[in-house]
Amino acid sequence: MEQRVKELNRKYKEIFSDGNKVRNFQAPGRVNLIGEHTDYNGGFVMPMAINRNVLSAAAPRGDNEVHIHSVNFDKTIQFKLNNIEYRKEDGWGNYIKGMAKVLMDKGYKICGMNILFEGDIPLASGLSSSAAIEVLSGKTFAMISGVEIPAEELALLAQKAENEFIGVNCGIMDQYIISTGKKNNALFLDCRDLSSEQVPFIFDDVYVVIGNTKKERGLVDSEYNSRRKECEHGVKEFNKILGGVKDLRDVTSRQFEESKDKLPEITRKRCQHVIYEDERVKKAVKYLKSKDLESFGNLMVESHESLRDLYEVSCRELDILVEEALKMDGVFGSRMTGAGFGGCNVSLVLKDHVEKFIVLITEAYKKKTSRKPEFYICTPEDGAKEIVL
Ligand code: GLA
């Protein structure tokens, strides 16, 4: 990390040559251990921030312009703080513009600045590189402008930028874990009232291994929105049957079983996933606290099957990565993670078995899909913060 930051600061001097002393910030990517497609249903999730992140180097400019340069895209974008507009051709720059806008709409005074970004979160892979850039730019804007924004509020503002400026109707999970994550912990989050608990995730002999299908996630936005609608429909149906249902979170599995025959098939399947997934997250917290990774892993497998068969957001590539993982020795559990339709899976693997795990799955996956997967061994890390060398 130190080397990357030094290199970033050297490049900042080269690109902006403003003679200013920079400050550095980071925001991580995330992997969700369990609790998928539950956040926008007022339910429970258990993600962790990972050791892949985006870094910034920034200093004030003395005017009201923001100049941003991305090392990864080798591109500079400029905008004035009093004239922020979404422009398709600005690509990644829109996340940063959106963040500046929501901060100012909230009444925070932001100054003009130069910012250099560099990241190692795989893009478009379901590890939340866009939420990381939102949270990171929010943190950078605030700190350089001398404004204090609590981590929880920063997460909500980043979600607002994504929903309103970018136009993606995501839940709160990604921005929340990226903003509030703590090293060596997974986060148990209640997405309705945002109460949360850090749950220690410290295992000397176990790795969290992320497998990237390298499959483009073409369908994700439209399918995501249609799943949200189907869940809203479920809420309406349960309101007719039970009354007092605000989110699917309010329906227990017992109530579901008693009334499922009254639901149309698709609604029934979507609701079944969400309602049982919430229960799995609550069980997973208990198992993690008692260090029972066997049971935790079984819940991951159940979660995957439910996402595949009931919520129908997996895909062949994800199913193959999970199936192959479950054939290996030393694996507690494996499931797709994130929105689905490509992206990554996550497995819990005994350290001694990881090397073989990666070699054998790479071979099997390549044979079955003609794609080469990537694997990232991950540790639970801190959320967005300043880096002082
Ligand atoms: C994406 C969204 C999250 C969440 C997951 C599915 O990552 O950004 O809010 O809904 O999908 O669990």
Side-chain angles (χ1 to χ4, degrees), residues 103-120:
L103 291 180
M104 290 190 302
D105 287 352
K106 188 77 202 281
Y108 290 118
K109 300 246 174 309
I110 291 172
C111 62
M113 60 187 79
N114 293 328
I115 318 176
L116 182 62
F117 291 99
E118 182 267 328
D120 67 0

Side-chain angles (χ1 to χ4, degrees), residues 30 36-37 39-40 170-171 173-174 224 338-339:
R30 68 97 187 89
E36 216 66 83
H37 289 277
D39 63 348
Y40 53 83
C170 66
M173 171 171 73
D174 306 343
Y224 189 88

Side-chain angles (χ1 to χ4, degrees), residues 158-271:
Q159 184 199 18
K160 194 168 166 35
E162 179 88 34
N163 292 166
E164 293 174 10
F165 196 80
I166 304 296
V168 173
N169 208 10
C170 66
I172 186 61
M173 171 171 73
D174 306 343
Q175 289 82 1
Y176 204 92
I177 178 64
I178 287 168
S179 195
T180 68
K182 290 272 170 292
K183 196 173 171 60
N184 294 329
N185 287 276
L187 181 79
F188 172 45
L189 175 65
D190 177 332
C191 298
R192 175 182 277 171
D193 65 9
L194 299 185
S195 57
S196 66
E197 188 184 346
Q198 299 288 348
V199 187
F201 194 100
I202 308 168
F203 296 94
D204 291 340
D205 54 347
V206 177
Y207 276 141
V208 174
V209 183
I210 294 177
N212 189 344
T213 59
K214 303 291 278 176
K215 155 125 195 277
E216 8 357 278
R217 301 187 310 149
L219 285 171
V220 72
D221 286 349
S222 61
E223 291 291 334
Y224 189 88
N225 287 336
S226 63
R227 292 302 176 283
R228 285 194 74 141
K229 290 218 179 76
E230 287 155 4
C231 291
E232 281 161 22
H233 183 68
V235 170
K236 277 199 193 123
E237 294 287 319
F238 275 111
N239 253 319
K240 282 191 227 151
I241 304 167
L242 301 170
V245 175
K246 190 164 162 273
D247 298 296
L248 287 181
R249 137 83 177 278
D250 296 316
V251 184
T252 62
S253 56
R254 180 143 174 224
Q255 289 170 323
F256 170 81
E257 292 300 335
E258 282 162 7
S259 26
K260 66 180 181 196
D261 296 340
K262 297 183 186 136
L263 303 173
E265 193 196 348
I266 293 285
T267 314
R268 178 178 55 69
K269 284 162 87 176
R270 307 304 188 238
C271 293

Side-chain angles (χ1 to χ4, degrees), residues 60 62 73 85 173:
F73 295 104
E85 274 170 16
M173 171 171 73

Side-chain angles (χ1 to χ4, degrees), residues 356-388:
K356 207 166 164 199
F357 173 94
I358 293 177
V359 171
L360 293 181
I361 297 181
T362 301
E363 237 169 69
Y365 183 77
K366 265 168 53 186
K367 237 183 235 153
K368 290 187 175 168
T369 66
S370 318
R371 292 172 198 269
K372 190 171 182 294
E374 280 176 7
F375 290 92
Y376 322 113
I377 293 175
C378 288
T379 47
E381 298 295 328
D382 280 333
K385 63 176 183 186
E386 181 158 17
I387 305 169
V388 182

